[in-house]
Amino acid sequence: MKKQFIAWIRIDKLKPSCFSTLAFFLVCLPAPSLASDLYRGMLANMLDRHPAVIAAGQQRLAASQEVEGARWQFFPTPSIGVESGNQTSQFADSKIRFARLQQPLWTGGRLTAQTDRAKAQQELADAAWREQRHNLAIRWLELWAESSAARSRVEAYAESEELHQRYVRRVQARAQEGQIARSETQLSFSRLSSVQAELELARAQQQQAMNKLLQMWGRTWSTTDIPRLPDLRGSEVDSMHTHVGAVAQNHPVLQKSRAQVLLAQAEVDFARARLSPEVYARAEVSHGNISGDVRKAFIGFSTSFGGGLSNLSAVGSAQSRVEAQRQELEVRSRELSDLLTTDQINHLSQSQRAQQFLLSLEAAQAYLLSSETQFDNGRRSWQELMNSAREKAQIRVQLTDASAQAWLAAQRLRLNTQGLEDFLARPAR
């Protein structure tokens, strides 16, 4: 089944009278490439400097330094110090200065497990950074759709206000001519006031949406750069099964969950390794008594089971966390699958609704023009005329909302299936 976006129905199926309404609606949208470049380019710029992304990047840097620190554990550990104590001999020095160098020979895999744990933490930090960028991109698209829809609603009610003001003037003219009662003039003003109230509400909603977008953008914004929905004639959504494999491998949420599983497994390996004894070699030079410098070399053996054999219980605790993280991965996978299915359904249903609203808008426009003609000929009342204008505005608002929801669902599907980098690099097909 061909799945297309909002108003892009087949031209050869439209009546000739449809073209005026279709052209009017499409003029409201900017050039496809310009609109696409605007929201896509701004998204990339915002992601590069958003504080949440920068903070996640610093966490990645810290994790990479932890890996480097874990690798140094394989090398000898130097230490120097001074010890002081009571001496029974008058010839002995109460202070002993020493320098030591200790090299682990065998740790039962503890150093390797420690390094693997640091690498797993680094992978988790990388996944968290990608997830943060992905979530911000989703939020950006939501705010862009909200702001775009709010702008179109304002334009729809502003057009309705202009029509109502024109009709009020006609009512006033007829009242002055004595064709209708003067009291009807006040009633026509109340109709105009109702439309103006809707317009003020739409403007307030637009301001709220823009404030959210501006806060996320973090910079000043020209008032002329109010968002509009781009042309998405090519943003078709393929079947779900074609993307499941890619999503399972590349989605940041699943990458983060898999990294958490790896980290939990590394914790198990580390807890087990701590139960093994450690064999080490140590060289030592000390000075502080009448014998002068003393050089010694040791081969040592040590082990520790923690306070009250706590290291034994740590293994069982770490194993339980592994199983918990595996179940969490399954939960995230199911949630993502449900999200993709929901977006696909919303995209199709909202696109179809928008197509129907477009046809309704064409009919409402034709009916309004006919009502104006019949009103001028005295065969239609001003109440019917204003009702026609109000119905046209409502249909246009419904078309706007359906179009915005269809666009947002399509963009979320592309972002969740293609990945953020590919989403930013390639326009909609």
Side-chain angles (χ1 to χ4, degrees):
M1 177 180 177
K2 190 77 169 177
K3 298 177 276 293
Q4 293 181 312
F5 182 77
I6 55 169
W8 301 104
I9 55 181
R10 290 184 56 184
I11 299 299
D12 59 340
K13 295 295 184 181
L14 291 178
K15 300 176 182 179
S17 59
C18 296
F19 285 103
S20 60
T21 303
L22 180 61
F24 172 80
F25 178 73
L26 297 184
V27 162
C28 295
L29 297 178
S33 59
L34 294 178
S36 179
D37 290 343
L38 179 62
Y39 87 90
R40 200 181 304 273
M42 293 180 70
L43 172 58
N45 186 282
M46 182 273 296
L47 291 177
D48 289 339
R49 54 185 177 77
H50 196 279
V53 176
I54 296 175
Q58 293 298 316
Q59 293 293 338
R60 295 175 71 198
L61 180 60
S64 66
Q65 292 172 343
E66 290 288 342
V67 173
E68 188 65 23
R71 289 171 177 167
W72 277 108
Q73 299 300 312
F74 289 92
F75 291 85
T77 302
S79 61
I80 58 176
V82 177
E83 295 178 343
S84 179
N86 294 328
Q87 300 292 336
T88 58
S89 173
Q90 60 178 334
F91 301 104
D93 192 347
S94 61
K95 292 184 178 180
I96 300 177
R97 292 165 289 276
F98 63 86
R100 295 171 182 165
L101 190 65
Q102 182 167 313
Q103 170 66 49
L105 301 179
W106 184 80
T107 63
R110 179 178 59 84
L111 298 182
T112 300
Q114 188 172 350
T115 303
D116 292 341
R117 183 178 63 174
K119 290 179 179 179
Q121 289 173 335
Q122 182 182 24
E123 186 171 345
L124 178 60
D126 291 342
W129 176 77
R130 289 189 291 269
E131 183 188 37
Q132 186 65 257
R133 284 167 50 86
H134 183 90
N135 291 340
L136 286 174
I138 291 291
R139 181 58 178 162
W140 176 265
L141 294 174
E142 291 172 348
L143 292 178
W144 190 276
E146 182 181 351
S147 300
S148 301
R151 173 176 181 163
S152 296
R153 284 194 294 267
V154 168
E155 292 172 347
Y157 287 126
E159 179 197 23
S160 181
E161 179 192 33
E162 182 181 353
L163 288 174
H164 277 72
Q165 288 174 340
R166 190 170 68 199
Y167 298 155
V168 165
R169 289 193 293 269
R170 292 187 181 184
V171 171
Q172 289 177 318
R174 290 201 172 186
Q176 291 175 353
E177 294 171 359
Q179 300 182 18
I180 59 175
R182 291 185 177 276
S183 59
E184 294 191 39
T185 303
Q186 297 299 323
L187 184 57
S188 67
F189 272 113
S190 69
R191 292 287 190 93
L192 174 60
S193 298
S194 177
V195 173
Q196 290 173 334
E198 292 177 331
L199 176 59
E200 289 304 316
L201 177 60
R203 285 172 174 166
Q205 292 173 341
Q206 180 187 13
Q207 186 61 47
Q208 292 173 357
M210 283 300 300
N211 287 341
K212 295 177 184 177
L213 198 62
L214 282 168
Q215 185 178 18
M216 192 171 188
W217 176 243
R219 292 182 180 176
T220 57
W221 194 325
S222 173
T223 56
T224 60
D225 291 333
I226 301 177
R228 289 187 182 274
L229 293 182
D231 174 4
L232 294 182
R233 281 174 288 182
S235 65
E236 300 177 1
V237 182
D238 299 330
S239 300
M240 266 283 296
H241 69 272
T242 60
H243 295 299
V244 171
V247 171
Q249 294 297 324
N250 300 322
H251 198 279
V253 170
L254 301 186
Q255 289 180 343
K256 182 179 178 181
S257 293
R258 285 195 293 269
Q260 289 172 331
V261 173
L262 292 177
L263 178 58
Q265 185 60 57
E267 293 285 359
V268 172
D269 297 338
F270 181 73
R272 286 174 176 169
R274 291 178 64 183
L275 298 175
S276 301
E278 177 180 349
V279 179
Y280 61 87
R282 186 175 79 239
E284 178 179 307
V285 178
S286 61
H287 177 83
N289 52 39
I290 57 176
S291 60
D293 293 341
V294 177
R295 293 176 173 82
K296 298 179 182 179
F298 301 88
I299 295 293
F301 172 90
S302 66
T303 186
S304 174
F305 296 99
L309 303 179
S310 59
N311 287 347
L312 295 175
S313 60
V315 175
S317 175
Q319 289 174 332
S320 297
R321 284 195 294 269
V322 171
E323 184 59 29
Q325 291 299 333
R326 286 174 178 168
Q327 296 303 318
E328 187 70 17
L329 173 60
E330 179 63 23
V331 171
R332 294 289 176 263
S333 179
R334 294 184 182 186
E335 289 177 348
L336 181 58
S337 178
D338 180 66
L339 176 63
L340 291 173
T341 302
T342 300
D343 279 339
Q344 187 183 42
I345 293 173
N346 285 341
H347 174 263
L348 294 176
S349 63
Q350 295 296 341
S351 296
Q352 293 171 358
R353 288 183 68 239
Q355 290 177 4
Q356 297 302 319
F357 283 137
L358 181 65
L359 296 177
S360 298
L361 182 61
E362 181 273 334
Q365 174 68 15
Y367 184 76
L368 179 61
L369 294 175
S370 174
S371 297
E372 289 182 348
T373 301
Q374 294 184 37
F375 176 77
D376 293 337
N377 295 332
R379 290 180 297 179
R380 193 171 294 276
S381 67
W382 65 266
Q383 292 94 336
E384 293 174 309
L385 184 61
M386 288 190 175
N387 288 340
S388 299
R390 185 181 183 88
E391 181 180 2
K392 177 189 173 183
Q394 291 175 343
I395 294 175
R396 187 175 173 186
V397 168
Q398 291 173 318
L399 172 60
T400 291
D401 292 339
S403 301
Q405 291 300 317
W407 178 84
L408 179 59
Q411 296 307 293
R412 277 200 302 246
L413 277 170
R414 290 189 57 239
L415 182 58
N416 284 323
T417 55
Q418 296 179 4
L420 178 58
E421 301 306 324
D422 190 56
F423 177 83
L424 293 174
R426 294 195 300 174
R429 294 189 301 272

